[in-house]
Amino acid sequence: MIVIEDRQSLDSWVEQSRMWGGKVGFIPTMGALHEGHLALVREAKKTCTQTIVSIFVNPTQFGPEEDFSQYPRTFEKDRALLEEIACDAVFLPSPEVIYPPGGQTYVAVEPLASQLCGASRPGHFQGVATVVTILLNLVRPHAAYFGVKDYQQLTLIKQMVRDLAMAVEVVGVPIVREEDGLALSSRNRYLTAKERQQATALYKALLAAQSLFKNGELKAIKLEKAARKILYESGIEQIDYVEVRHRKTLACQLSVEDPVMLIAAKVGKTRLIDNMVLST
Ligand code: AMP
């Protein structure tokens, strides 16, 4: 596996990979890789001739009070994991490669970026949309892979690619979970043993809402209330949101149709997110 750090090396790798009809699959990450990330690489390898993962802890998507400086950076382990599954290349840019001095442009996907996670993390999705645009322009992949775990992010990127007529296929990959249902996340390592136990309530809350929906409950407020109850009962009090939205547009609905439930809550100091399409 080749490790690429600068733009020139990336350009030649991309040129070569696209030659003779090669299909490039791209997986943007912030590192601290786990099975969730590897599932994206495995999905890419099914149809792409070359796969490239980027590892970049993007400063512009962290708020001033968030964990940018503490975010886990485990490059040697990440590299070994990627080698093991025969990923072809890893792009490891410095902040200057992504944001050359003097930049003035950003990407705003509104109003999608200001809702849900965007409401409590102002600027987060502008940072995400901008860095993903820059990365897509640098890597020029045929397909880019994102986890359904970050549902709002995936929806926003699909919207952006459509709005800006970007020539890339966006592929969503299902959530990889621990055996007890907790969605894998680089931030799970912050949880204490007790919090780790409490964190399973997010999945249980989603399952409860799904079961209610399947039994005919169509009122968003009832589904949300049932999920909240499970979170409270497990001792999770800092709930950012529990919302049922339209699966494709994330529009609010009183009486739900094709719904997804999205949850964000703090377990101790760690903010976790999860979601479930209720009809599946
Ligand atoms: P991150 O490194 O957290 O920015 O995540 C990089 C990509 O991996 C994003 O597209 C995430 O949605 C995806 N991802 C993270 N955790 C999971 C998971 N448990 N299952 C599937 N995809 C995931």
Side-chain angles (χ1 to χ4, degrees):
M1 182 179 69
I2 176 173
V3 179
I4 301 169
E5 297 189 33
D6 62 279
R7 198 166 164 177
Q8 213 179 355
S9 317
L10 180 67
D11 281 345
S12 24
W13 184 86
V14 171
E15 285 301 321
Q16 255 182 351
S17 302
R18 293 182 70 104
M19 242 190 256
W20 315 115
K23 180 176 173 187
V24 176
F26 174 46
I27 301 99
T29 81
M30 297 205 299
L33 301 183
H34 50 64
E35 275 300 319
H37 298 109
L38 301 185
L40 307 188
V41 181
R42 291 198 181 96
E43 188 59 33
K45 285 182 70 71
K46 283 185 192 164
T47 58
C48 298
T49 51
Q50 293 288 311
T51 48
I52 178 164
V53 168
S54 65
I55 298 181
F56 180 62
V57 184
N58 174 36
T60 66
Q61 69 187 68
F62 287 79
E65 308 293 315
E66 293 181 4
D67 57 346
F68 173 69
S69 56
Q70 280 94 47
Y71 197 83
R73 289 159 172 89
T74 58
F75 180 65
E76 285 312 321
K77 192 169 162 237
D78 294 349
R79 181 213 289 250
L81 287 172
L82 293 173
E83 296 256 17
E84 229 169 79
I85 60 165
C87 177
D88 298 291
V90 57
F91 180 40
L92 194 68
S94 64
E96 294 71 33
V97 170
I98 299 296
Y99 301 113
Q104 301 191 18
T105 308
Y106 60 83
V107 182
V109 186
E110 294 294 348
L112 203 46
S114 309
Q115 311 169 16
L116 300 165
C117 285
S120 49
R121 303 184 70 189
H124 169 69
F125 284 119
Q126 183 176 299
V128 170
T130 304
V131 80
V132 169
T133 302
I134 294 166
L135 286 167
L136 290 173
N137 285 339
L138 288 170
V139 177
R140 294 189 285 127
H142 296 86
Y145 297 78
F146 297 88
V148 171
K149 154 91 182 355
D150 295 271
Y151 200 93
Q152 187 179 8
Q153 170 175 285
L154 175 61
T155 309
L156 177 127
I157 286 163
K158 281 184 179 163
Q159 180 78 42
M160 173 183 89
V161 162
R162 182 170 153 255
D163 293 349
L164 298 181
M166 295 164 89
V168 63
E169 179 195 357
V170 175
V171 182
V173 179
I175 303 176
V176 178
R177 299 181 178 280
E178 301 280 6
E179 244 170 53
D180 62 7
L182 178 66
L184 298 196
S185 162
S186 309
R187 289 190 170 103
N188 290 350
R189 69 188 69 198
Y190 298 151
L191 300 168
T192 64
K194 182 173 169 232
E195 290 164 357
R196 170 66 187 76
Q197 187 52 40
Q198 287 181 323
T200 58
L202 273 76
Y203 183 60
K204 289 181 192 142
L206 292 166
L207 283 179
Q210 187 183 54
S211 152
L212 267 182
F213 174 75
K214 285 188 170 166
N215 285 315
E217 181 55 71
L218 294 179
K219 289 204 185 76
I221 197 153
K222 289 252 173 90
L223 297 165
E224 290 162 2
K225 207 170 153 191
R228 274 179 184 274
K229 185 163 176 273
I230 290 176
L231 295 177
Y232 285 132
E233 280 170 1
S234 77
I236 297 176
E237 284 162 3
Q238 299 179 75
I239 301 174
D240 187 358
Y241 60 78
V242 174
E243 294 214 23
V244 182
R245 297 285 183 102
H246 189 275
R247 184 171 66 86
K248 287 209 172 122
T249 59
L250 292 186
C252 293
Q253 308 172 298
L254 291 178
S255 177
V256 300
E257 199 180 294
D258 205 2
V260 58
M261 175 172 271
L262 304 113
I263 297 182
K266 267 195 167 172
V267 181
K269 289 196 174 111
T270 310
R271 187 174 185 280
L272 299 178
I273 57 171
D274 203 346
N275 67 81
M276 191 175 283
V277 172
L278 299 186
S279 54
T280 53

